[in-house]
């Protein structure tokens, strides 16, 4: 039986839970690449990382302690 691949969000959350700490766009891009995300460009990678970080913040998985910086930490 074949295993179902993780979504980008599932992969990112797994890495975030394992590593903890603070997360910005660059760190999220690296984590996404580790879990197999192959973007068409650096710009596309950054957009996907920012989108996922915003989604995770909206779900309460991460919080943005400083409203003036795009840096998140686990909730």
């Amino acid at each position: 039986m074949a295993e179902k691949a993780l979504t980008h969000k599932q992969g990112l959350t797994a890495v975030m839970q394992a590593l903890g700490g603070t997360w910005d766009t660059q760190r999220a891009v690296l984590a996404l690449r580790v879990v197999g995300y192959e973007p068409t460009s650096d710009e596309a990678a950054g957009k996907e990382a920012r989108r996922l970080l915003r989604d995770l913040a909206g779900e309460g998985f991460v919080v943005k302690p400083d409203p003036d910086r795009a840096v998140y930490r686990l909730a």
Side-chain angles (χ1 to χ4, degrees), residues 7-60:
T7 65
H8 297 157
K9 185 188 284 187
Q10 290 168 330
L12 179 59
T13 57
V15 173
M16 291 175 83
Q17 285 177 321
L19 298 178
T22 58
W23 291 84
D24 61 7
T25 300
Q26 289 179 326
R27 191 170 185 208
V29 165
L30 289 174
L32 286 168
R33 287 188 169 140
V34 166
V35 298
Y37 173 55
E38 297 178 21
T40 56
S41 67
D42 288 343
E43 182 181 354
K47 284 182 180 182
E48 178 70 352
R50 287 187 296 277
R51 182 186 70 79
L52 291 172
L53 287 169
R54 285 190 304 270
D55 285 355
L56 292 172
E59 295 171 5

